[in-house]
Amino acid sequence: MGKQLYEIGEAPPLGHVPERMYASVIRPDRYGEPAKAFATEIIDVPEPGPGQVLVWVMAAGINYNNVWAALGYPLDVVAARRKRGEPENFHIGGSEGAGVVYAVGDDVAGVRVGDHVMLSGGQWDERGEDIRMGADPTFSSSLRAWGYESNYGSFAQFALVQDFQCHPKPKNLTWEAAAAFILTGATAYRQLFGWEGNTVKPGDPVLIWGGAGGLGSIAIQLVRNAGGIPIAVVSSEERAEYCRGLGAAGVIDRTRFDHWGRMPDLQDQAAYGAWMTGVRAFGRSFWEALGERRAPKIVFEHSGQDTIPTSMYLCENGGMVVICGGTSGYAADVDLRFLWMRQKRLQGSHGFNPSQCRAVIQLVSSGLIDPCLSDLVGFEQIGEAHQMMHENRQPPGNMAALVNAPRAGLTELA
């Protein structure tokens, strides 16, 4: 008979699910700085229901969404779930990870106890009317971000997921590498290849904001792998060198410019003229980085308010600005003349579908894309890792935390 609580890294017999587990937990009375909002607690292990899978977590990816969860802003995740009728007054984050299947609920397909799996972050109701009528699941009204909008993410000994979130883990990937790249990698893949009519083709210049971040580091490689020409925007020479090492054809240091933020009023000719001077100077820097006078066919956006006005101006006629976030703010301005007269596309892109996950996993497992795991922390440092992200002190690339894996560098366990 197995124990009812196992220490971190102590494996229960396969298939034995203990009653209790350690988890890195956020509670509303701790909302604030992530280093204090996360705390290790012992809580009940969730039981898988129909279509659900319980996974013993080996490693977990760290992403910005749980900085927001820790802050309680812009969404109080606990209050939002309780409003939907869910009883828990706590949040266990973690929107990607890797581990071993320990239990499955009724009607689970394609997953068995003992499988080694990677976990993706999109959840939805496969029986929903919109999905049954053929919608991409990311368009579904039932879409939730696991480990952010839903509970029981990967920052615990056991995670609760839906069966379609489980992807076979390639044997050549370490647990921590397998845990760290699906969210950024598949999001970037969808942005660059998911919007018919504006996908990366050989020879296409692509401007990539935040080139040294988790999204940008994967985007650089995806563009390069497709034969495009990635130009990365960075904030330091150290980050510039990192991007060049990933295959960026050129880099632009954004700290050389000061026109960022909301557009001036079009009636304020002096302010608007000064803003345009900054935008055009940035455009000349793009030409210099590219080595020719061409505009980006695609602008890879996630910074939002500070950069969208520049992105929309720079984008080539008939090109696309594709955005998946707004880290500098959500109230972004667009001069509509650049949008309609030059027939540009401003495309929102959120998450990814299972086929896009599998595409990125295949690219990484085959060695064509590096997962860019740049920092690995222990279970007790999950809060501090999010604090680093909050303060923009994180290293380039992606971050992960070891959970039950006994040490870094392991691929498979017997």
Side-chain angles (χ1 to χ4, degrees), residues 83-100:
K83 189 175 181 180
R84 296 199 300 264
E86 299 177 29
E88 296 87 3
N89 64 347
F90 59 84
H91 171 71
I92 301 175
S95 295
E96 61 184 335
V100 182

Side-chain angles (χ1 to χ4, degrees), residues 122 138 143 183 186-191 324 349-353 356:
T138 64
L143 176 66
L183 194 149
T187 297
Y189 186 92
R190 182 179 181 86
Q191 285 184 266
C324 70
S349 187
H350 183 55
F352 38 80
N353 59 40
Q356 290 159 343

Side-chain angles (χ1 to χ4, degrees), residues 175-333:
W175 290 108
E176 60 269 24
F181 70 85
I182 282 189
L183 194 149
T184 54
T187 297
Y189 186 92
R190 182 179 181 86
Q191 285 184 266
L192 295 167
F193 303 104
W195 304 104
E196 188 175 349
N198 293 97
T199 57
V200 179
K201 299 178 180 61
D204 284 352
V206 179
L207 177 64
I208 299 171
W209 291 99
L215 279 165
S217 59
I218 300 292
I220 288 169
Q221 298 178 83
L222 289 171
V223 172
R224 180 205 63 200
N225 190 60
I229 309 171
I231 305 296
V233 184
V234 297
S235 59
S236 69
E237 180 56 32
E238 177 188 7
R239 291 176 180 258
E241 281 302 310
Y242 178 80
C243 292
R244 292 187 190 103
L246 293 174
V251 294
I252 306 170
D253 184 348
R254 62 175 171 80
T255 65
R256 294 169 44 211
F257 305 90
D258 60 4
H259 66 284
W260 311 120
R262 304 288 298 272
M263 282 177 57
D265 192 307
L266 297 183
Q267 305 306 313
D268 187 340
Q269 295 185 8
Y272 189 76
W275 178 79
M276 282 297 299
T277 296
V279 172
R280 287 170 175 153
F282 186 85
R284 288 192 293 273
S285 290
F286 180 82
W287 292 341
E288 292 168 6
L290 182 64
E292 55 181 317
R293 291 172 64 110
R294 295 173 62 198
K297 289 265 191 167
I298 293 177
V299 180
F300 183 91
E301 261 277 5
H302 47 84
S303 42
Q305 182 172 298
D306 282 357
T307 55
I308 277 287
T310 299
S311 295
M312 288 304 301
Y313 179 82
L314 251 62
C315 184
E316 184 177 89
N317 293 2
M320 177 178 70
V321 177
V322 58
I323 185 165
C324 70
T327 52
S328 66
Y330 308 125
D333 299 299

Side-chain angles (χ1 to χ4, degrees), residues 25-96:
V25 176
I26 295 170
R27 291 186 184 271
D29 60 3
R30 291 198 295 265
Y31 282 161
E33 296 294 300
K36 295 181 179 179
F38 286 89
T40 300
E41 298 183 15
I42 297 173
I43 66 166
D44 291 342
V45 175
E47 185 175 334
Q52 292 184 320
V53 177
L54 191 70
V55 176
W56 189 62
V57 180
M58 298 295 286
I62 293 174
N63 296 282
Y64 204 90
N65 60 0
N66 274 279
V67 173
W68 295 325
L71 296 172
Y73 177 86
L75 176 69
D76 181 332
V77 292
V78 173
R81 289 199 293 266
R82 299 197 80 172
K83 189 175 181 180
R84 296 199 300 264
E86 299 177 29
E88 296 87 3
N89 64 347
F90 59 84
H91 171 71
I92 301 175
S95 295
E96 61 184 335

